[in-house]
Short mmCIF file of all heavy atoms in Angstrom, two decimals:
data_model
loop_
_atom_site.label_atom_id
_atom_site.label_comp_id
_atom_site.label_asym_id
_atom_site.label_seq_id
_atom_site.Cartn_x
_atom_site.Cartn_y
_atom_site.Cartn_z
N ARG W 62 -11.51 12.11 -33.60
CA ARG W 62 -10.11 12.03 -33.89
C ARG W 62 -9.79 10.73 -34.63
O ARG W 62 -8.94 10.73 -35.51
CB ARG W 62 -9.32 12.13 -32.58
CG ARG W 62 -7.84 11.98 -32.73
CD ARG W 62 -7.20 13.00 -33.63
NE ARG W 62 -7.24 14.30 -33.02
CZ ARG W 62 -6.71 15.38 -33.54
NH1 ARG W 62 -6.07 15.30 -34.68
NH2 ARG W 62 -6.81 16.52 -32.96
N LEU W 63 -10.44 9.65 -34.26
CA LEU W 63 -10.15 8.37 -34.89
C LEU W 63 -10.36 8.43 -36.40
O LEU W 63 -9.51 8.00 -37.17
CB LEU W 63 -10.99 7.26 -34.28
CG LEU W 63 -10.75 5.86 -34.83
CD1 LEU W 63 -9.31 5.43 -34.63
CD2 LEU W 63 -11.70 4.87 -34.19
N GLU W 64 -11.46 8.99 -36.83
CA GLU W 64 -11.73 9.07 -38.27
C GLU W 64 -10.71 9.95 -38.98
O GLU W 64 -10.30 9.65 -40.10
CB GLU W 64 -13.15 9.57 -38.53
CG GLU W 64 -14.22 8.60 -38.07
CD GLU W 64 -14.10 7.23 -38.71
OE1 GLU W 64 -13.82 7.14 -39.92
OE2 GLU W 64 -14.25 6.23 -37.98
N GLU W 65 -10.29 11.01 -38.33
CA GLU W 65 -9.28 11.89 -38.94
C GLU W 65 -7.96 11.14 -39.07
O GLU W 65 -7.29 11.23 -40.10
CB GLU W 65 -9.11 13.14 -38.07
CG GLU W 65 -8.22 14.20 -38.71
CD GLU W 65 -6.76 14.04 -38.37
OE1 GLU W 65 -6.44 13.55 -37.26
OE2 GLU W 65 -5.91 14.36 -39.22
N LEU W 66 -7.56 10.39 -38.06
CA LEU W 66 -6.33 9.62 -38.13
C LEU W 66 -6.42 8.53 -39.19
O LEU W 66 -5.46 8.30 -39.93
CB LEU W 66 -6.01 9.00 -36.76
CG LEU W 66 -5.63 9.99 -35.66
CD1 LEU W 66 -5.64 9.30 -34.30
CD2 LEU W 66 -4.29 10.63 -35.94
N LYS W 67 -7.55 7.87 -39.28
CA LYS W 67 -7.72 6.82 -40.28
C LYS W 67 -7.66 7.34 -41.71
O LYS W 67 -7.35 6.60 -42.63
CB LYS W 67 -9.05 6.09 -40.05
CG LYS W 67 -9.03 5.18 -38.85
CD LYS W 67 -10.39 4.55 -38.61
CE LYS W 67 -10.87 3.77 -39.80
NZ LYS W 67 -12.16 3.11 -39.56
N SER W 68 -7.93 8.62 -41.90
CA SER W 68 -7.92 9.19 -43.25
C SER W 68 -6.49 9.41 -43.76
O SER W 68 -6.29 9.64 -44.94
CB SER W 68 -8.70 10.51 -43.29
OG SER W 68 -7.98 11.53 -42.61
N ARG W 69 -5.52 9.33 -42.86
CA ARG W 69 -4.12 9.50 -43.25
C ARG W 69 -3.53 8.18 -43.73
O ARG W 69 -4.07 7.12 -43.45
CB ARG W 69 -3.29 9.97 -42.06
CG ARG W 69 -3.74 11.26 -41.45
CD ARG W 69 -2.88 11.59 -40.26
NE ARG W 69 -3.36 12.75 -39.53
CZ ARG W 69 -2.78 13.22 -38.45
NH1 ARG W 69 -1.69 12.65 -37.96
NH2 ARG W 69 -3.28 14.28 -37.84
N THR W 70 -2.42 8.27 -44.45
CA THR W 70 -1.69 7.05 -44.78
C THR W 70 -1.02 6.55 -43.50
O THR W 70 -0.69 7.35 -42.61
CB THR W 70 -0.63 7.29 -45.86
OG1 THR W 70 0.30 8.26 -45.38
CG2 THR W 70 -1.27 7.77 -47.16
N ALA W 71 -0.82 5.26 -43.39
CA ALA W 71 -0.27 4.66 -42.17
C ALA W 71 1.06 5.31 -41.76
O ALA W 71 1.31 5.51 -40.57
CB ALA W 71 -0.12 3.17 -42.33
N ALA W 72 1.88 5.66 -42.73
CA ALA W 72 3.18 6.27 -42.43
C ALA W 72 3.04 7.65 -41.79
O ALA W 72 3.98 8.14 -41.15
CB ALA W 72 4.01 6.36 -43.70
N ASN W 73 1.88 8.29 -41.96
CA ASN W 73 1.66 9.63 -41.43
C ASN W 73 0.79 9.66 -40.19
O ASN W 73 0.29 10.72 -39.81
CB ASN W 73 1.05 10.52 -42.51
CG ASN W 73 2.04 10.81 -43.62
OD1 ASN W 73 3.21 11.05 -43.37
ND2 ASN W 73 1.58 10.74 -44.85
N ILE W 74 0.60 8.53 -39.56
CA ILE W 74 -0.18 8.47 -38.32
C ILE W 74 0.80 8.37 -37.16
O ILE W 74 1.61 7.46 -37.10
CB ILE W 74 -1.13 7.26 -38.30
CG1 ILE W 74 -2.09 7.31 -39.48
CG2 ILE W 74 -1.91 7.22 -36.99
CD1 ILE W 74 -2.92 6.05 -39.64
N THR W 75 0.75 9.34 -36.25
CA THR W 75 1.63 9.33 -35.09
C THR W 75 0.81 9.46 -33.81
O THR W 75 -0.29 10.02 -33.81
CB THR W 75 2.66 10.46 -35.15
OG1 THR W 75 1.97 11.71 -35.26
CG2 THR W 75 3.59 10.31 -36.35
N ALA W 76 1.36 8.96 -32.73
CA ALA W 76 0.70 9.06 -31.42
C ALA W 76 0.67 10.51 -30.97
O ALA W 76 1.47 11.34 -31.41
CB ALA W 76 1.44 8.20 -30.41
N GLY W 77 -0.26 10.82 -30.07
CA GLY W 77 -0.34 12.19 -29.57
C GLY W 77 -1.37 12.32 -28.47
O GLY W 77 -1.98 11.34 -28.04
N SER W 78 -1.56 13.56 -28.02
CA SER W 78 -2.56 13.82 -26.99
C SER W 78 -2.96 15.29 -27.01
O SER W 78 -2.24 16.14 -27.54
CB SER W 78 -2.01 13.45 -25.61
OG SER W 78 -0.93 14.29 -25.27
N GLU W 79 -4.11 15.54 -26.42
CA GLU W 79 -4.64 16.89 -26.25
C GLU W 79 -5.25 16.93 -24.86
O GLU W 79 -5.94 15.99 -24.46
CB GLU W 79 -5.71 17.21 -27.29
CG GLU W 79 -5.22 17.08 -28.72
CD GLU W 79 -6.36 17.06 -29.73
OE1 GLU W 79 -7.24 16.20 -29.59
OE2 GLU W 79 -6.33 17.90 -30.63
N THR W 80 -4.99 17.99 -24.10
CA THR W 80 -5.52 18.07 -22.74
C THR W 80 -6.28 19.36 -22.53
O THR W 80 -6.06 20.35 -23.21
CB THR W 80 -4.39 17.98 -21.70
OG1 THR W 80 -3.47 19.06 -21.91
CG2 THR W 80 -3.64 16.66 -21.80
N GLY W 81 -7.19 19.32 -21.56
CA GLY W 81 -7.94 20.51 -21.20
C GLY W 81 -8.89 21.02 -22.26
O GLY W 81 -9.15 22.21 -22.34
N LEU W 82 -9.43 20.12 -23.06
CA LEU W 82 -10.36 20.53 -24.13
C LEU W 82 -11.73 20.83 -23.54
O LEU W 82 -12.30 20.01 -22.81
CB LEU W 82 -10.45 19.42 -25.17
CG LEU W 82 -9.13 19.06 -25.84
CD1 LEU W 82 -9.27 17.76 -26.62
CD2 LEU W 82 -8.67 20.18 -26.74
N PRO W 83 -12.29 21.99 -23.82
CA PRO W 83 -13.59 22.36 -23.25
C PRO W 83 -14.75 21.66 -23.95
O PRO W 83 -14.64 21.25 -25.10
CB PRO W 83 -13.66 23.87 -23.48
CG PRO W 83 -12.83 24.09 -24.70
CD PRO W 83 -11.73 23.06 -24.65
N VAL W 84 -15.84 21.52 -23.23
CA VAL W 84 -17.08 21.00 -23.79
C VAL W 84 -18.10 22.13 -23.72
O VAL W 84 -18.35 22.68 -22.65
CB VAL W 84 -17.60 19.77 -23.01
CG1 VAL W 84 -18.92 19.29 -23.56
CG2 VAL W 84 -16.56 18.66 -23.02
N SER W 85 -18.67 22.49 -24.83
CA SER W 85 -19.61 23.61 -24.89
C SER W 85 -20.83 23.36 -24.02
O SER W 85 -21.45 22.30 -24.09
CB SER W 85 -20.04 23.83 -26.35
OG SER W 85 -20.95 24.90 -26.43
N GLY W 86 -21.16 24.33 -23.18
CA GLY W 86 -22.38 24.27 -22.40
C GLY W 86 -22.29 23.57 -21.06
O GLY W 86 -23.26 23.54 -20.31
N VAL W 87 -21.15 22.96 -20.74
CA VAL W 87 -20.98 22.29 -19.44
C VAL W 87 -19.62 22.65 -18.85
O VAL W 87 -18.71 23.05 -19.56
CB VAL W 87 -21.11 20.75 -19.55
CG1 VAL W 87 -22.51 20.34 -19.95
CG2 VAL W 87 -20.10 20.20 -20.53
N LEU W 88 -19.49 22.49 -17.55
CA LEU W 88 -18.25 22.82 -16.88
C LEU W 88 -17.34 21.60 -16.78
O LEU W 88 -16.90 21.21 -15.71
CB LEU W 88 -18.54 23.38 -15.49
CG LEU W 88 -19.35 24.68 -15.48
CD1 LEU W 88 -19.70 25.08 -14.06
CD2 LEU W 88 -18.59 25.79 -16.18
N VAL W 89 -17.07 21.01 -17.92
CA VAL W 89 -16.23 19.82 -17.98
C VAL W 89 -15.19 20.03 -19.07
O VAL W 89 -15.48 20.59 -20.12
CB VAL W 89 -17.07 18.56 -18.30
CG1 VAL W 89 -16.20 17.34 -18.51
CG2 VAL W 89 -18.09 18.30 -17.21
N THR W 90 -13.98 19.60 -18.80
CA THR W 90 -12.97 19.54 -19.85
C THR W 90 -12.57 18.08 -20.01
O THR W 90 -12.77 17.27 -19.12
CB THR W 90 -11.72 20.37 -19.52
OG1 THR W 90 -11.15 19.92 -18.30
CG2 THR W 90 -12.06 21.84 -19.43
N PHE W 91 -12.06 17.76 -21.17
CA PHE W 91 -11.66 16.37 -21.37
C PHE W 91 -10.26 16.31 -21.96
O PHE W 91 -9.73 17.28 -22.47
CB PHE W 91 -12.67 15.62 -22.23
CG PHE W 91 -12.75 16.06 -23.68
CD1 PHE W 91 -12.02 15.40 -24.65
CD2 PHE W 91 -13.58 17.10 -24.06
CE1 PHE W 91 -12.09 15.78 -25.98
CE2 PHE W 91 -13.66 17.49 -25.40
CZ PHE W 91 -12.91 16.82 -26.35
N ASN W 92 -9.68 15.16 -21.82
CA ASN W 92 -8.36 14.87 -22.35
C ASN W 92 -8.50 13.75 -23.37
O ASN W 92 -9.30 12.85 -23.18
CB ASN W 92 -7.40 14.44 -21.24
CG ASN W 92 -7.28 15.50 -20.17
OD1 ASN W 92 -7.13 16.67 -20.46
ND2 ASN W 92 -7.36 15.10 -18.92
N ARG W 93 -7.70 13.83 -24.41
CA ARG W 93 -7.76 12.81 -25.45
C ARG W 93 -6.34 12.40 -25.80
O ARG W 93 -5.47 13.24 -25.95
CB ARG W 93 -8.48 13.38 -26.67
CG ARG W 93 -8.57 12.46 -27.85
CD ARG W 93 -9.46 12.99 -28.94
NE ARG W 93 -9.19 14.39 -29.27
CZ ARG W 93 -10.09 15.20 -29.84
NH1 ARG W 93 -11.30 14.77 -30.12
NH2 ARG W 93 -9.78 16.44 -30.13
N SER W 94 -6.11 11.10 -25.90
CA SER W 94 -4.80 10.61 -26.32
C SER W 94 -4.99 9.47 -27.30
O SER W 94 -6.05 8.83 -27.33
CB SER W 94 -3.98 10.13 -25.12
OG SER W 94 -4.61 9.04 -24.49
N TRP W 95 -3.98 9.24 -28.12
CA TRP W 95 -4.07 8.14 -29.07
C TRP W 95 -2.70 7.50 -29.23
O TRP W 95 -1.68 8.14 -29.15
CB TRP W 95 -4.65 8.60 -30.40
CG TRP W 95 -3.96 9.76 -31.04
CD1 TRP W 95 -2.99 9.71 -32.01
CD2 TRP W 95 -4.17 11.14 -30.78
NE1 TRP W 95 -2.59 10.98 -32.36
CE2 TRP W 95 -3.30 11.88 -31.61
CE3 TRP W 95 -5.01 11.85 -29.92
CZ2 TRP W 95 -3.26 13.27 -31.60
CZ3 TRP W 95 -4.95 13.22 -29.92
CH2 TRP W 95 -4.10 13.91 -30.75
N THR W 96 -2.75 6.19 -29.39
CA THR W 96 -1.54 5.41 -29.61
C THR W 96 -1.62 4.77 -30.98
O THR W 96 -2.71 4.53 -31.51
CB THR W 96 -1.35 4.32 -28.54
OG1 THR W 96 -2.47 3.45 -28.56
CG2 THR W 96 -1.20 4.93 -27.15
N VAL W 97 -0.46 4.49 -31.53
CA VAL W 97 -0.36 3.88 -32.85
C VAL W 97 0.59 2.69 -32.74
O VAL W 97 1.69 2.83 -32.22
CB VAL W 97 0.17 4.90 -33.89
CG1 VAL W 97 0.28 4.27 -35.26
CG2 VAL W 97 -0.73 6.13 -33.93
N THR W 98 0.15 1.54 -33.23
CA THR W 98 0.96 0.33 -33.17
C THR W 98 1.12 -0.25 -34.57
O THR W 98 0.12 -0.62 -35.19
CB THR W 98 0.31 -0.73 -32.25
OG1 THR W 98 0.05 -0.13 -30.98
CG2 THR W 98 1.20 -1.94 -32.08
N SER W 99 2.35 -0.31 -35.04
CA SER W 99 2.62 -0.91 -36.35
C SER W 99 2.64 -2.42 -36.23
O SER W 99 3.00 -2.97 -35.19
CB SER W 99 3.97 -0.43 -36.88
OG SER W 99 3.96 0.96 -37.05
N ASN W 100 2.26 -3.09 -37.30
CA ASN W 100 2.24 -4.55 -37.34
C ASN W 100 1.49 -5.12 -36.13
O ASN W 100 1.94 -6.07 -35.50
CB ASN W 100 3.66 -5.12 -37.42
CG ASN W 100 4.39 -4.64 -38.66
OD1 ASN W 100 3.79 -4.49 -39.73
ND2 ASN W 100 5.65 -4.36 -38.53
N CYS W 101 0.36 -4.50 -35.83
CA CYS W 101 -0.38 -4.91 -34.64
C CYS W 101 -0.99 -6.30 -34.82
O CYS W 101 -1.21 -6.76 -35.95
CB CYS W 101 -1.43 -3.89 -34.28
SG CYS W 101 -2.75 -3.71 -35.47
N ASN W 102 -1.21 -6.94 -33.71
CA ASN W 102 -1.73 -8.31 -33.70
C ASN W 102 -0.88 -9.24 -34.56
O ASN W 102 -1.38 -10.18 -35.16
CB ASN W 102 -3.20 -8.35 -34.14
CG ASN W 102 -4.08 -7.56 -33.22
OD1 ASN W 102 -3.85 -7.51 -32.02
ND2 ASN W 102 -5.09 -6.92 -33.77
N SER W 103 0.42 -8.91 -34.66
CA SER W 103 1.39 -9.70 -35.43
C SER W 103 1.04 -9.79 -36.92
O SER W 103 1.40 -10.74 -37.60
CB SER W 103 1.52 -11.11 -34.85
OG SER W 103 1.97 -11.04 -33.51
N VAL W 104 0.33 -8.78 -37.43
CA VAL W 104 -0.03 -8.75 -38.85
C VAL W 104 0.82 -7.69 -39.53
O VAL W 104 0.68 -6.50 -39.25
CB VAL W 104 -1.53 -8.46 -39.05
CG1 VAL W 104 -1.86 -8.38 -40.53
CG2 VAL W 104 -2.37 -9.50 -38.34
N THR W 105 1.70 -8.11 -40.40
CA THR W 105 2.57 -7.19 -41.13
C THR W 105 1.72 -6.25 -41.98
O THR W 105 0.80 -6.68 -42.68
CB THR W 105 3.54 -7.96 -42.03
OG1 THR W 105 4.32 -8.83 -41.22
CG2 THR W 105 4.46 -7.02 -42.80
N GLY W 106 2.01 -4.95 -41.87
CA GLY W 106 1.30 -3.95 -42.66
C GLY W 106 0.01 -3.46 -42.05
O GLY W 106 -0.66 -2.62 -42.64
N LEU W 107 -0.34 -3.94 -40.87
CA LEU W 107 -1.56 -3.48 -40.20
C LEU W 107 -1.18 -2.51 -39.10
O LEU W 107 -0.31 -2.80 -38.27
CB LEU W 107 -2.32 -4.66 -39.61
CG LEU W 107 -3.72 -4.37 -39.08
CD1 LEU W 107 -4.64 -3.96 -40.24
CD2 LEU W 107 -4.27 -5.61 -38.38
N THR W 108 -1.79 -1.34 -39.10
CA THR W 108 -1.52 -0.32 -38.08
C THR W 108 -2.77 -0.14 -37.23
O THR W 108 -3.85 0.13 -37.76
CB THR W 108 -1.14 1.03 -38.74
OG1 THR W 108 0.05 0.83 -39.51
CG2 THR W 108 -0.90 2.10 -37.71
N CYS W 109 -2.62 -0.32 -35.93
CA CYS W 109 -3.74 -0.16 -35.00
C CYS W 109 -3.68 1.23 -34.36
O CYS W 109 -2.61 1.71 -34.00
CB CYS W 109 -3.69 -1.22 -33.90
SG CYS W 109 -4.16 -2.84 -34.48
N ILE W 110 -4.85 1.85 -34.25
CA ILE W 110 -4.98 3.16 -33.63
C ILE W 110 -5.95 3.00 -32.46
O ILE W 110 -7.05 2.48 -32.64
CB ILE W 110 -5.56 4.20 -34.61
CG1 ILE W 110 -4.75 4.22 -35.90
CG2 ILE W 110 -5.63 5.57 -33.97
CD1 ILE W 110 -5.47 4.90 -37.05
N THR W 111 -5.53 3.45 -31.28
CA THR W 111 -6.40 3.40 -30.11
C THR W 111 -6.54 4.82 -29.56
O THR W 111 -5.53 5.47 -29.28
CB THR W 111 -5.82 2.48 -29.02
OG1 THR W 111 -5.68 1.17 -29.58
CG2 THR W 111 -6.72 2.42 -27.81
N VAL W 112 -7.77 5.29 -29.43
CA VAL W 112 -8.06 6.63 -28.92
C VAL W 112 -8.75 6.49 -27.56
O VAL W 112 -9.73 5.76 -27.44
CB VAL W 112 -8.95 7.43 -29.89
CG1 VAL W 112 -9.28 8.80 -29.31
CG2 VAL W 112 -8.27 7.57 -31.25
N THR W 113 -8.21 7.21 -26.57
CA THR W 113 -8.81 7.22 -25.24
C THR W 113 -9.24 8.65 -24.91
O THR W 113 -8.45 9.58 -25.06
CB THR W 113 -7.79 6.74 -24.18
OG1 THR W 113 -7.34 5.44 -24.53
CG2 THR W 113 -8.42 6.72 -22.79
N VAL W 114 -10.49 8.79 -24.48
CA VAL W 114 -11.01 10.09 -24.06
C VAL W 114 -11.42 9.97 -22.60
O VAL W 114 -12.16 9.06 -22.23
CB VAL W 114 -12.23 10.51 -24.92
CG1 VAL W 114 -12.81 11.84 -24.42
CG2 VAL W 114 -11.85 10.60 -26.38
N GLY W 115 -10.92 10.87 -21.78
CA GLY W 115 -11.26 10.85 -20.36
C GLY W 115 -11.66 12.24 -19.89
O GLY W 115 -11.30 13.25 -20.50
N TRP W 116 -12.42 12.28 -18.80
CA TRP W 116 -12.86 13.55 -18.25
C TRP W 116 -13.11 13.36 -16.76
O TRP W 116 -13.20 12.24 -16.27
CB TRP W 116 -14.11 14.06 -18.97
CG TRP W 116 -15.30 13.15 -18.86
CD1 TRP W 116 -16.33 13.23 -17.97
CD2 TRP W 116 -15.58 12.00 -19.66
NE1 TRP W 116 -17.22 12.22 -18.16
CE2 TRP W 116 -16.78 11.44 -19.21
CE3 TRP W 116 -14.92 11.38 -20.73
CZ2 TRP W 116 -17.35 10.31 -19.77
CZ3 TRP W 116 -15.48 10.25 -21.29
CH2 TRP W 116 -16.69 9.73 -20.82
N THR W 117 -13.20 14.46 -16.05
CA THR W 117 -13.52 14.41 -14.63
C THR W 117 -14.90 15.01 -14.43
O THR W 117 -15.18 16.10 -14.92
CB THR W 117 -12.47 15.19 -13.80
OG1 THR W 117 -11.20 14.60 -14.04
CG2 THR W 117 -12.80 15.13 -12.33
N HIS W 118 -15.74 14.27 -13.75
CA HIS W 118 -17.11 14.70 -13.49
C HIS W 118 -17.41 14.41 -12.03
O HIS W 118 -17.48 13.25 -11.64
CB HIS W 118 -18.07 13.96 -14.42
CG HIS W 118 -19.48 14.40 -14.30
ND1 HIS W 118 -19.90 15.65 -14.69
CD2 HIS W 118 -20.58 13.76 -13.84
CE1 HIS W 118 -21.20 15.76 -14.47
NE2 HIS W 118 -21.63 14.63 -13.95
N TYR W 119 -17.55 15.47 -11.24
CA TYR W 119 -17.69 15.33 -9.80
C TYR W 119 -16.50 14.54 -9.26
O TYR W 119 -15.38 14.93 -9.49
CB TYR W 119 -19.04 14.72 -9.42
CG TYR W 119 -20.19 15.61 -9.82
CD1 TYR W 119 -20.96 15.32 -10.95
CD2 TYR W 119 -20.49 16.75 -9.09
CE1 TYR W 119 -22.01 16.15 -11.33
CE2 TYR W 119 -21.54 17.59 -9.47
CZ TYR W 119 -22.28 17.28 -10.59
OH TYR W 119 -23.31 18.10 -10.96
N ASN W 120 -16.71 13.44 -8.60
CA ASN W 120 -15.60 12.67 -8.03
C ASN W 120 -15.24 11.45 -8.85
O ASN W 120 -14.61 10.52 -8.35
CB ASN W 120 -15.93 12.25 -6.59
CG ASN W 120 -15.99 13.45 -5.66
OD1 ASN W 120 -15.26 14.41 -5.84
ND2 ASN W 120 -16.88 13.40 -4.69
N THR W 121 -15.65 11.41 -10.10
CA THR W 121 -15.35 10.26 -10.94
C THR W 121 -14.50 10.70 -12.13
O THR W 121 -14.50 11.86 -12.51
CB THR W 121 -16.64 9.58 -11.47
OG1 THR W 121 -17.33 10.51 -12.31
CG2 THR W 121 -17.54 9.14 -10.33
N SER W 122 -13.82 9.75 -12.71
CA SER W 122 -12.99 10.02 -13.89
C SER W 122 -13.26 8.96 -14.94
O SER W 122 -12.45 8.05 -15.16
CB SER W 122 -11.50 10.04 -13.50
OG SER W 122 -11.24 11.07 -12.62
N PRO W 123 -14.41 9.03 -15.60
CA PRO W 123 -14.72 8.04 -16.63
C PRO W 123 -13.85 8.23 -17.87
O PRO W 123 -13.25 9.28 -18.09
CB PRO W 123 -16.19 8.31 -16.95
CG PRO W 123 -16.46 9.69 -16.48
CD PRO W 123 -15.46 10.02 -15.44
N SER W 124 -13.80 7.18 -18.67
CA SER W 124 -13.08 7.26 -19.94
C SER W 124 -13.74 6.32 -20.94
O SER W 124 -14.45 5.39 -20.57
CB SER W 124 -11.61 6.92 -19.78
OG SER W 124 -11.45 5.59 -19.35
N VAL W 125 -13.47 6.58 -22.20
CA VAL W 125 -13.96 5.77 -23.30
C VAL W 125 -12.77 5.45 -24.19
O VAL W 125 -11.94 6.32 -24.47
CB VAL W 125 -15.03 6.53 -24.13
CG1 VAL W 125 -15.45 5.74 -25.34
CG2 VAL W 125 -16.23 6.87 -23.27
N VAL W 126 -12.67 4.19 -24.63
CA VAL W 126 -11.58 3.77 -25.50
C VAL W 126 -12.19 3.19 -26.77
O VAL W 126 -13.09 2.35 -26.71
CB VAL W 126 -10.70 2.71 -24.81
CG1 VAL W 126 -9.60 2.25 -25.75
CG2 VAL W 126 -10.13 3.23 -23.51
N ILE W 127 -11.72 3.68 -27.91
CA ILE W 127 -12.14 3.12 -29.20
C ILE W 127 -10.88 2.82 -30.00
O ILE W 127 -9.84 3.45 -29.81
CB ILE W 127 -13.08 4.07 -29.98
CG1 ILE W 127 -12.43 5.43 -30.21
CG2 ILE W 127 -14.41 4.22 -29.26
CD1 ILE W 127 -13.23 6.35 -31.11
N SER W 128 -10.98 1.85 -30.87
CA SER W 128 -9.82 1.49 -31.68
C SER W 128 -10.23 1.02 -33.05
O SER W 128 -11.39 0.63 -33.28
CB SER W 128 -8.97 0.44 -30.98
OG SER W 128 -9.72 -0.72 -30.76
N SER W 129 -9.28 1.08 -33.95
CA SER W 129 -9.51 0.63 -35.32
C SER W 129 -8.14 0.29 -35.92
O SER W 129 -7.11 0.51 -35.29
CB SER W 129 -10.20 1.73 -36.12
OG SER W 129 -10.58 1.25 -37.38
N ALA W 130 -8.16 -0.26 -37.12
CA ALA W 130 -6.92 -0.62 -37.80
C ALA W 130 -6.98 -0.15 -39.23
O ALA W 130 -8.05 -0.07 -39.84
CB ALA W 130 -6.71 -2.12 -37.74
N VAL W 131 -5.82 0.20 -39.76
CA VAL W 131 -5.69 0.58 -41.16
C VAL W 131 -4.58 -0.24 -41.79
O VAL W 131 -3.62 -0.63 -41.12
CB VAL W 131 -5.41 2.09 -41.34
CG1 VAL W 131 -6.58 2.93 -40.89
CG2 VAL W 131 -4.15 2.50 -40.62
N LYS W 132 -4.72 -0.50 -43.05
CA LYS W 132 -3.69 -1.24 -43.77
C LYS W 132 -2.74 -0.26 -44.43
O LYS W 132 -3.15 0.77 -44.92
CB LYS W 132 -4.34 -2.14 -44.84
CG LYS W 132 -3.37 -3.02 -45.55
CD LYS W 132 -4.06 -3.91 -46.53
CE LYS W 132 -3.04 -4.79 -47.24
NZ LYS W 132 -3.65 -5.63 -48.25
N GLY W 133 -1.48 -0.61 -44.41
CA GLY W 133 -0.53 0.25 -45.10
C GLY W 133 0.73 0.45 -44.33
O GLY W 133 0.93 0.14 -43.23
#
């Protein structure tokens, strides 16, 4: 999702989420959300994108967070 969001112009990047996404071949579903911050890190014209992916596996709920920035 991060690469797809980065391919857009900054004005066309919006926050969102997807839930209950299946994983082929395993009995796990995952949720994905992303946030968008304009002028991030106090830099005018810089847009930060943060994507969080989480899932439930047995009694744990791990997650992974990745982020990047685009100019515009």
Side-chain angles (χ1 to χ4, degrees):
R62 177 60 69 177
L63 181 60
E64 293 303 319
E65 188 271 329
L66 292 167
K67 286 176 58 177
S68 71
R69 301 178 187 180
T70 60
N73 291 319
I74 302 172
T75 57
S78 65
E79 301 166 304
T80 60
L82 300 167
V84 177
S85 179
V87 294
L88 298 175
V89 174
T90 58
F91 68 94
N92 302 315
R93 178 172 47 204
S94 63
W95 54 96
T96 59
V97 179
T98 306
S99 298
N100 300 323
C101 66
N102 299 325
S103 300
V104 178
T105 301
L107 190 65
T108 299
C109 287
I110 307 163
T111 301
V112 177
T113 303
V114 177
W116 61 96
T117 301
H118 184 67
Y119 296 103
N120 292 326
T121 64
S122 296
S124 63
V125 175
V126 178
I127 57 173
S128 60
S129 188
V131 294
K132 185 178 180 183

